[in-house]
Amino acid sequence: MTWIIAVARWLFALFYIYVGASWLSYKLFGTAWPDHKEAPAAKALTTALTDSGIVDPLIASACLAGGLLLLFRRTAPLGIVVLAPLVVGIFIFHVFLNHDWPWGTFHLCYLGMLAWLHRAGLQPLWNFQTIPASKAH
């Protein structure tokens, strides 16, 4: 079962590494960036965000960092946390603007599954215990 979980995590990680690296490759080396079919409202938003010059590098960086962190079991919970805001944004974008709900829902459910499978590593986020001052040094 652990191999199935590892392969599922690696597939998700490789997708996000690919997305982040392909954007960087496009910007640094001028390679082709795939043109996606988008609804008019979605196209208007992505054009505005791309034209700002700040959002695309942040998204690419989050994709790369989150994907790289997901490659390893020890850092997978941090990768899930890094990718969570991005995946929620993908979900909202595809459901409300692009009207492609299966794609956004798939990403959100996949990340939710990974979060559930790595819940023990995420537990300190909601079960934080302070270290007494005497043990902090």
Side-chain angles (χ1 to χ4, degrees):
M1 184 67 164
T2 56
W3 278 103
I4 294 171
I5 294 169
V7 169
R9 190 181 73 238
W10 294 335
L11 288 173
F12 201 67
L14 290 174
F15 173 78
Y16 279 97
I17 291 169
Y18 168 75
V19 169
S22 61
W23 183 87
L24 289 174
S25 172
Y26 165 70
K27 285 298 183 184
L28 296 175
F29 306 114
T31 57
W33 180 249
D35 190 26
H36 302 286
K37 182 181 166 190
E38 294 178 325
K43 186 68 175 169
L45 177 64
T46 57
T47 301
L49 293 176
T50 298
D51 290 346
S52 75
I54 193 167
V55 176
D56 286 350
L58 291 174
I59 290 173
S61 299
C63 287
L64 268 175
L68 289 170
L69 288 165
L70 273 177
L71 286 177
F72 306 99
R73 187 175 59 87
R74 182 179 184 92
T75 58
L78 182 56
I80 291 167
V81 170
V82 168
L83 287 175
L86 179 67
V87 172
V88 169
I90 289 169
F91 173 74
I92 292 168
F93 176 84
H94 283 289
V95 169
F96 295 108
L97 291 176
N98 211 26
H99 309 293
D100 186 16
W101 66 268
W103 184 250
T105 304
F106 171 76
H107 278 265
L108 187 63
C109 290
Y110 203 120
L111 186 71
M113 176 198 68
L114 289 175
W116 178 256
L117 293 171
H118 293 85
R119 65 188 177 274
L122 296 168
Q123 189 177 13
L125 293 174
W126 58 80
N127 193 16
F128 180 74
Q129 297 176 355
T130 59
I131 300 171
S134 61
K135 292 185 181 181
H137 299 297

